[in-house]
Amino acid sequence: MKKFKKFYMEITSVCNLACSFCPQTQRAKGFINVEDFTQRLDQIRPHTDYIYFHLKGEPLMHPKIGQLLDLSHERGFQVNITTNGTLLHKVKPILLTKPAIRQMNFSLHSFDGHAGSKDKDGYIGSILSFVREALEHTNMIISLRLWNLDENNATNAERQRNREILGAIEQAFELDYRIEERVSPGKGIKLADRVYLNQDYEFDWPDLKAEEDDGKGFCHGLRNQAGILVDGTVVPCCLDGEGVINLGNINETPFSEIVEGERANRLYEGFSRREAVEELCRKCGYRKRFGAGA
C-alpha cells in the first residue's frame, strides 16, 4: 500500500488571477461537488494523512470550502491550503474556525505576478491581519512565500517590489533586521512561532513543448506525493497541472488500483533507476533539483 506525505486534492481548476508565472489551465473550469469530494476522501484515506486543496486553481473560490474542511476533519485529515490571499476578506471567518487546517501558505508573489493588481498595502495588510488572528485563535502554521527571484540576478525594480512587502512584514513582526540579510533562495526563516517566510526562484512549469534532456535524475512523484484533478484524473505530482500523465480516473477506477497500475509502476520503477520514462518528466526542471535522489 503506497503512502504519500503530500496529497493534492484539487477542489477547483478556476482562479481569480492570471499570474505570469502560472500558465492558465486548458482544462475545463470546474468545482468539485461535495459527493465526489467525500468519495475521494474515503478512497485516499489509507494512503495519506495530509491533503492540499489545490493543484491548479484558487481554493478560496470554492463556495463550500467550509464543508470540505469539515468533511476532511471528520475523516482525520490535516489540510494545507495554498492561496494567493486575495479572497481572505470573504472567507476569513470560516478559515479561523476550522480545526482541519494545518497550514496556510500565502503566495505573496501573486500580487506582482498579476497585471491587474491594485493596492499592495491593502493586500499585504489583509494577510498580516489574518496571520495575527490565526496565531491568537488557532494552531495553524503560516508560510509566507515570495517565489519570484530571478536566477540571473534580480534588477533593482524586482528587489524593490519585494522590499515593500518585506518591509511590511518586518514592521508587523517587529523584526530588528532586514529579511534579505538572513533568507536565501529555497530556504526559509522563522519570523515568529508558527510563522515562516520563504523566498525562491520563479520556476517553470513542465511543458511538453519544452526541450527534452537525457532524462536522468530522480523525482518523488508517486513516492511521497500524488494528486487528483477536479475531474477525477489521477496524476503523479503537483506539477502536472494539465493531467498529461493521466494514470486513470478515480470516478471509474479505485484509487488503490490506479497507483498500482501499469503506467504508475513504470514511472515509479523508472525513477528507481534514476530514469524519467514519461516525456513530461524529461521536460521538468524540478527533477534536476533532486540529483541522484535517495
Side-chain angles (χ1 to χ4, degrees), residues 223-242:
R223 272 181 162 75
N224 74 3
Q225 65 170 281
I228 305 175
L229 302 180
V230 70
D231 68 355
T233 300
V234 176
V235 293
C237 74
C238 63
L239 291 181
D240 188 0
E242 293 302 300

Side-chain angles (χ1 to χ4, degrees), residues 27 222 227 229 231-236 240 242-250 252-253 258 262-264 266-267 278 280:
R27 294 183 282 120
L222 288 184
L229 302 180
D231 68 355
T233 300
V234 176
V235 293
D240 188 0
E242 293 302 300
V244 173
I245 306 175
N246 182 345
L247 301 176
N249 194 293
I250 198 170
E252 302 164 359
T253 307
I258 292 174
E262 180 181 352
R263 190 172 189 180
R266 189 156 39 87
L267 183 148
E278 290 282 350
L280 188 70

Side-chain angles (χ1 to χ4, degrees):
M1 177 78 66
K2 287 189 172 77
K3 190 90 171 181
F4 305 102
K5 294 179 181 178
K6 300 178 180 179
F7 202 103
Y8 295 88
M9 180 83 82
E10 185 182 70
I11 63 173
T12 179
S13 57
V14 180
C15 188
N16 61 321
L17 301 184
C19 296
S20 58
F21 56 81
C22 185
Q24 298 298 295
T25 180
Q26 301 303 306
R27 294 183 282 120
K29 293 180 170 61
F31 293 83
I32 196 169
N33 62 51
V34 171
E35 181 181 1
D36 285 346
F37 182 79
T38 304
Q39 292 175 351
R40 291 176 194 181
L41 288 182
D42 291 340
Q43 287 202 43
I44 70 171
R45 188 65 197 92
H47 297 275
T48 191
D49 298 318
Y50 302 96
I51 53 177
Y52 291 69
F53 274 7
H54 79 286
L55 206 141
K56 281 293 188 75
E58 168 52 55
L60 300 192
M61 291 189 70
H62 200 291
K64 296 186 177 180
I65 189 169
Q67 190 174 355
L68 303 187
L69 286 166
D70 287 340
L71 289 165
S72 301
H73 182 63
E74 290 168 8
R75 285 159 176 76
F77 290 103
Q78 294 187 61
V79 178
N80 301 282
I81 295 178
T82 298
T83 174
N84 58 46
T86 58
L87 301 176
L88 275 179
H89 61 287
K90 293 185 177 182
V91 296
K92 181 165 73 169
I94 295 174
L95 299 177
L96 291 174
T97 59
K98 299 302 180 185
I101 301 178
R102 171 186 173 270
Q103 180 167 323
M104 291 287 297
N105 305 314
F106 291 100
S107 299
L108 303 182
H109 45 286
S110 300
F111 186 90
D112 287 305
H114 178 69
S117 296
K118 298 178 181 178
D119 188 16
K120 182 180 285 189
D121 290 342
Y123 169 73
I124 190 64
S126 173
I127 291 175
L128 292 174
S129 174
F130 176 88
V131 172
R132 284 191 293 271
E133 292 186 55
L135 293 179
E136 183 177 353
H137 301 294
T138 78
N139 293 317
M140 72 176 67
I141 301 166
I142 303 292
S143 174
L144 304 174
R145 298 174 172 180
L146 275 168
W147 292 358
N148 60 358
L149 299 180
D150 181 357
E151 293 198 53
N152 299 315
N153 295 321
T155 64
N156 287 332
E158 287 169 333
R159 291 194 193 97
Q160 182 57 32
R161 70 181 183 183
N162 282 349
R163 174 92 296 271
E164 295 174 39
I165 291 178
L166 294 176
I169 294 171
E170 291 161 1
Q171 184 176 4
F173 290 97
E174 299 180 345
L175 303 182
D176 59 0
Y177 58 87
R178 286 169 69 97
I179 290 172
E180 297 99 316
E181 297 170 356
R182 301 196 181 185
V183 70
S184 57
K187 296 182 180 179
I189 60 170
K190 185 175 182 178
L191 302 177
D193 184 38
R194 293 185 282 124
V195 184
Y196 302 86
L197 182 136
N198 180 278
Q199 282 198 274
D200 208 342
Y201 299 115
E202 181 178 322
F203 68 90
D204 293 324
W205 287 78
D207 188 336
L208 289 177
K209 297 177 183 177
E211 288 189 16
E212 194 171 305
D213 60 21
D214 62 8
K216 301 299 182 183
F218 181 81
C219 180
H220 293 282
L222 288 184
R223 272 181 162 75
N224 74 3
Q225 65 170 281
I228 305 175
L229 302 180
V230 70
D231 68 355
T233 300
V234 176
V235 293
C237 74
C238 63
L239 291 181
D240 188 0
E242 293 302 300
V244 173
I245 306 175
N246 182 345
L247 301 176
N249 194 293
I250 198 170
N251 299 324
E252 302 164 359
T253 307
F255 178 79
S256 295
E257 292 183 21
I258 292 174
V259 292
E260 295 296 348
E262 180 181 352
R263 190 172 189 180
N265 283 330
R266 189 156 39 87
L267 183 148
Y268 186 98
E269 291 164 3
F271 280 122
S272 295
R273 302 189 303 269
R274 309 309 189 247
E275 175 187 343
V277 300
E278 290 282 350
E279 181 183 0
L280 188 70
C281 298
R282 294 193 295 271
K283 298 178 177 181
C284 179
Y286 262 65
R287 171 173 44 84
K288 300 172 185 176
R289 294 191 179 194
F290 300 120

